[in-house]
Amino acid sequence: MAKYCSRCMISFDVEICPACGNKRVKEAEPGDLCFLTEKDRIWAGVLADVLKQNGIPFLRKSSIGAGMAIRTGPMFETITFYVCHKQLEKAGGIVDELFSQDVETDYGEDESE
Ligand SMILES: [Zn+2]
């Protein structure tokens, strides 16, 4: 049975939260919001679209407030995604599929010239 830390909003399979050491974790329930991933603004838009297409409801939190976004520029903003525990596995699979590709594209074609 998966456990859940409401402080960190993550789900795991051990008795103590691996992120904060919280021992008072509860059993994960289908409706618990779990951390999915963190992306910059551009990828967050892509991911939001794909999650919507797959019918997965999600919650987005910006790393900075609206006022800060104007001052530092939107490029520095990261968006954190949360999904219900029951959707976490499916959503995690989507994230893996979506973002595993950009690791390979970075391999130095530029150096051929
Ligand atoms: Zn925790």
Side-chain angles (χ1 to χ4, degrees):
M1 192 66 202
K3 303 286 182 185
Y4 178 77
C5 176
S6 51
R7 213 187 296 175
C8 305
M9 296 174 83
I10 55 169
S11 164
F12 39 85
D13 293 317
V14 290
E15 295 297 316
I16 298 170
C17 174
C20 73
N22 183 9
K23 289 175 189 163
R24 300 182 62 183
V25 295
K26 67 187 193 79
E27 289 198 349
E29 287 166 36
D32 285 334
L33 276 178
C34 297
F35 172 82
L36 176 63
T37 189
E38 196 178 54
K39 295 292 167 195
D40 66 35
R41 204 183 170 83
I42 294 153
W43 281 112
V46 176
L47 179 58
D49 280 348
V50 177
L51 289 174
K52 272 182 212 162
Q53 282 161 24
N54 283 273
I56 299 175
F58 58 90
L59 185 80
R60 262 184 296 192
K61 269 190 193 173
S62 171
S63 61
I64 47 178
M68 281 292 284
I70 291 159
R71 205 177 309 163
T72 61
M75 292 307 289
F76 295 101
E77 186 181 14
T78 56
I79 314 287
T80 308
F81 282 78
Y82 300 89
V83 295
C84 291
H85 187 260
K86 63 178 173 186
Q87 306 274 23
L88 184 61
E89 208 180 317
K90 192 178 172 190
I94 289 166
V95 170
D96 283 349
E97 221 170 278
L98 205 57
F99 298 104
S100 59
Q101 293 162 0
D102 63 344
V103 178
E104 290 164 40
T105 52
D106 269 22
Y107 274 77
E109 303 235 337
D110 296 64
E111 291 175 33
S112 56
E113 284 182 49

